[in-house]
Amino acid sequence: MSDASGSPETPETPETPGAERAEGASPEPVVRDAVSAPDEQGRPRRVTRRFPLFTRDTARPEGGGRAAPGDAPAPARQWPILLVITVAAIGLLVTALGMFRLGTLVVGAGLLLGAALRWAVPHVGILAVRSRFTDVVTYGLLGVAIVLLALMVQPDPKLELPFIKDLLHFTVDDS
């Protein structure tokens, strides 16, 4: 629908109490809730707190920008993820060559490197999957778990946790 001037009709946005507009000034857009962002003309797109039935787009992770300028070649733009993948691939290669403990430690170190890069570098390209906090916690916990398991693997474990035998007491036969 449109009015006599040919512009589409828009619902009036309520003004905030106590706010006064100067003569001739355009009205400030009013965002009524956390999920109604203004459109191109500054009007709120949605005025309900219900989430849309279909998602139209997604927000990029906060560190999801390029790690290098746009005119750089593709590998240079994504150096953080390439570094983490390279370290993990070296760890897998070392494991395949028969040095299980060392290879697994390198894979865990690659994940810990990913956590450190995600925490310290503002733009990490596609290494940013979720929010910075979630990425750092996920990469860090997985890296620590892999390193600890690599240190505890039999035979000749480099790290012995006394409560592990107590946990496994009922599941392992001592005979």
Side-chain angles (χ1 to χ4, degrees):
M1 295 177 84
S2 62
D3 59 6
S5 66
S7 64
E9 289 184 1
T10 59
E12 292 291 322
T13 58
E15 294 191 6
T16 55
E20 298 175 6
R21 282 190 279 163
E23 289 296 322
S26 63
E28 288 292 320
V30 177
V31 178
R32 295 182 183 164
D33 56 32
V35 294
S36 65
D39 62 6
E40 295 81 23
Q41 286 79 29
R43 298 180 308 250
R45 284 187 285 184
R46 296 188 307 117
V47 292
T48 177
R49 291 188 57 93
R50 290 185 182 186
F51 288 101
L53 184 59
F54 299 104
T55 303
R56 303 277 186 242
D57 58 357
T58 57
R60 290 172 47 141
E62 57 198 43
R66 291 183 177 134
D71 58 347
R77 289 194 311 259
Q78 297 298 333
W79 68 267
I81 190 70
L82 290 176
L83 182 62
V84 171
I85 288 173
T86 302
V87 171
I90 290 170
L92 291 174
L93 180 64
V94 170
T95 302
L97 294 175
M99 294 176 276
F100 178 77
R101 187 185 318 266
L102 179 62
T104 311
L105 283 171
V106 172
V107 170
L111 283 170
L112 291 173
L113 174 67
L117 285 173
R118 185 65 175 103
W119 180 50
V121 179
H123 299 287
V124 290
I126 61 173
L127 185 63
V129 178
R130 298 156 295 263
S131 71
R132 184 180 309 267
F133 175 78
T134 305
D135 282 342
V136 169
V137 169
T138 303
Y139 296 145
L141 286 178
L142 287 174
V144 166
I146 290 173
V147 166
L148 287 177
L149 289 172
L151 292 174
M152 292 187 301
V153 73
Q154 297 288 335
D156 188 31
K158 306 296 183 205
L159 176 67
E160 290 192 31
L161 299 177
F163 63 88
I164 296 293
K165 285 186 180 180
D166 295 336
L167 286 175
L168 297 176
H169 175 71
F170 296 108
T171 60
V172 178
D173 187 20
D174 288 336
S175 57

